Amino acid sequence: MTFMRTAALGVTLVASTALTAYADSLTIAIVNNGHMINMQKVAESYTAETGVKLNWVSLEEGVLREQVTSDTATGGGQYDIINIGMQEAPIWGAAGWIEPLDFDVEYDVEDILPAMRAGLSHDGTLYAAPFYGESSMVMYRKDLANAAGVTIKDHDTWSRIKEAAAAMHDPDNGVYGACLRGKPGWGDNMAFITTIVNSFGGAWFDADMRPSLDTQMWKDAINFYVDLLGNYGPPGSEGNSFNEILALYNEGKCGMWIDATIAASFLESDQVAYAQSPNAGNAVGANWLWAWAMAVPAGTSNADQAKAFIEWATSKDYVQAVANHPDFGWSSVPTGQRASTYAVPEFQAVAQFASAEMAAIDSAAPAASDIKPYVGVQFAAIPEFPQVGSAVAQEMAAALSGAKSVNDALAASQEAADAIMKEAGYYE
């Protein structure tokens, strides 16, 4: 197999030295977030250049995880390219579920932000390439904060955040003080909730990998979360994830939103300010680290062609293609991925959030520590975590909706997590 680069796309294409034909089409499973939706339009040039038809399967985050995990684990071969993240990539790579990625030197893998490379690798081998990366931060309405006479600072206390939410909260006029994730899922409500727990000094597991959801730190954190969102959040918050809150924010209905830094790319108001994530005394783990990345499942028969597409879709050339696209521009390029993007003057001119985003990414702390004996900020990098996180997510949504008390939800969470970890053989 030999490789060549096309001038128009800057992508490594596969030219077979045998009789294997280049794939007529690739099936790509993506999460239904804005940058992925944009990719479908930008990638029309890829099809025009290569003749490869791209079949997109766009799914809500939780559904994507379920379908992709099932198909990849069984070698089903339904997809040629999949969206996964930092929780899955190292584990699936080590298990042989996804293919290692070794790109052409012109791809410049060293330009990928170190935190993203590390989080998507196993034993130094990259198994997924970041389409965009993120941490989390506070995004708030300057006009509403000023009118309410409140300030929001970097690394503010949670008590001051609650005071600011209360001051901006005006439900009679359709404005809610804080819009936060409540939809159940280990990467939905639990992504945000875990950062609160971390900031209160809690963790998913103790040093023996026994669940620690019945600790006072978890109780304090969840009581705070339920009180904040119950009193100053929009109705039905237990059904809201990223896309739902993005819509609310752009409708002018949110005073503040604490979520993925990538959201800043899609905020339409010019009255947005940014601050580093709040904490309750422990700043380590108060902001998450994630990348939505592209990987090649081992079950595909089009591995080389899939890698060629990923090489283009996560390259500097792709960033430039978005910037040059008539429907997008520099304000719409994927961020949190490549260092070179942040050095472009045109990007700096339109991305008022860039410095806050990079500060959040740089300060994220996924390494194991005395407080948490596992890798990961808003998740634990163990195979069992999706099952544990999903079970707890349902209980936290029940607590938020009022269907259960916080104590009862945490007791049920502890019991479920303990059963999963015992069955997995972590202890007897």
Side-chain angles (χ1 to χ4, degrees):
M1 196 72 69
T2 59
F3 299 88
M4 61 184 180
R5 292 182 64 86
T6 69
L9 294 176
V11 57
T12 302
L13 300 181
V14 180
S16 177
T17 56
L19 297 178
T20 304
Y22 198 80
D24 292 328
S25 65
L26 295 171
T27 299
I28 308 172
I30 59 171
V31 67
N32 64 343
N33 288 349
H35 284 304
M36 280 74 170
I37 302 303
N38 292 352
M39 178 170 54
Q40 297 180 47
K41 186 171 289 187
V42 179
E44 291 172 0
S45 64
Y46 188 90
T47 296
E49 182 74 17
T50 65
V52 178
K53 180 181 178 183
L54 304 172
N55 302 314
W56 303 95
V57 181
S58 180
L59 301 169
E60 183 272 334
E61 185 172 323
V63 176
L64 174 86
R65 288 192 167 109
E66 290 179 7
Q67 293 195 12
V68 162
T69 300
S70 176
D71 189 69
T72 305
T74 59
Q78 184 177 352
Y79 308 113
D80 299 304
I81 297 170
I82 53 175
N83 266 171
I84 61 172
M86 291 182 171
Q87 202 284 330
E88 305 97 338
I91 296 170
W92 292 11
W97 290 8
I98 52 178
E99 299 280 349
L101 300 178
D102 184 15
F103 296 138
D104 186 85
V105 66
E106 293 181 41
Y107 178 80
D108 191 6
V109 71
E110 295 299 316
D111 185 48
I112 300 294
L113 296 176
M116 303 305 161
R117 289 203 313 272
L120 297 169
S121 298
H122 173 71
D123 284 347
T125 298
L126 189 70
Y127 281 94
F131 186 64
Y132 69 77
E134 64 185 39
S135 183
S136 53
M137 65 182 178
V138 185
M139 296 159 280
Y140 67 95
R141 287 271 301 276
K142 291 184 290 186
D143 54 341
L144 295 181
N146 290 338
V150 295
T151 58
I152 298 174
K153 303 176 181 178
D154 286 341
H155 311 294
D156 224 336
T157 64
W158 276 116
S159 59
R160 280 179 49 83
I161 289 295
K162 182 183 286 188
E163 291 170 4
M168 291 186 285
H169 192 59
D170 186 10
D172 291 341
N173 289 303
V175 175
Y176 305 99
C179 294
L180 308 170
R181 295 192 190 200
K183 188 173 184 177
W186 68 261
D188 279 305
N189 62 342
M190 295 316 302
F192 176 66
I193 288 173
T194 302
T195 62
I196 300 180
V197 172
N198 293 344
S199 82
F200 274 76
W204 278 94
F205 306 102
D206 65 16
D208 297 317
M209 293 303 290
R210 293 177 181 272
S212 55
L213 289 86
D214 56 356
T215 60
Q216 191 62 46
M217 288 82 81
W218 270 84
K219 292 176 183 177
D220 291 344
I222 304 308
N223 275 304
F224 179 87
Y225 165 75
V226 169
D227 181 61
L228 174 63
L229 199 48
N231 286 313
Y232 308 118
S237 285
E238 64 274 12
N240 288 343
S241 186
F242 181 91
N243 286 332
E244 291 83 4
I245 301 175
L246 176 62
L248 287 171
Y249 200 103
N250 283 336
E251 290 167 5
K253 295 183 178 180
C254 301
M256 77 173 77
W257 181 17
I258 306 172
D259 209 297
T261 55
I262 200 70
S265 300
F266 301 101
L267 298 182
E268 298 169 358
S269 172
D270 60 359
Q271 289 292 324
V272 184
Y274 308 96
Q276 298 301 296
S277 290
N279 68 83
N282 177 34
V284 178
N287 53 294
W288 71 60
L289 184 69
W290 185 254
W292 274 115
M294 306 179 79
V296 179
T300 179
S301 59
N302 300 315
D304 288 331
Q305 298 92 329
K307 291 176 185 179
F309 177 80
I310 292 175
E311 184 168 0
W312 171 71
T314 61
S315 68
K316 297 176 187 178
D317 295 314
Y318 178 84
V319 173
Q320 189 67 54
V322 177
N324 292 343
H325 197 282
D327 292 340
F328 302 122
W330 279 106
S331 62
S332 298
V333 301
T335 63
Q337 171 210 42
R338 287 184 168 272
S340 56
T341 301
Y342 292 83
V344 176
E346 294 89 343
F347 173 73
Q348 294 174 357
V350 297
Q352 303 303 313
F353 59 87
S355 60
E357 179 178 60
M358 281 304 302
I361 290 172
D362 288 343
S363 65
S369 68
D370 291 341
I371 294 177
K372 60 177 185 66
Y374 49 84
V375 174
V377 181
Q378 77 283 15
F379 62 85
I382 59 172
E384 296 74 22
F385 180 76
Q387 186 180 3
V388 172
S390 296
V392 177
Q394 295 292 338
E395 296 295 335
M396 296 303 98
L400 181 59
S401 70
K404 282 189 174 183
S405 70
V406 169
N407 284 346
D408 286 348
L410 284 173
S413 296
Q414 178 73 13
E415 183 178 356
D418 184 59
I420 293 167
M421 297 298 282
K422 279 183 180 178
E423 184 176 355
Y426 282 86
Y427 50 88
E428 296 181 356

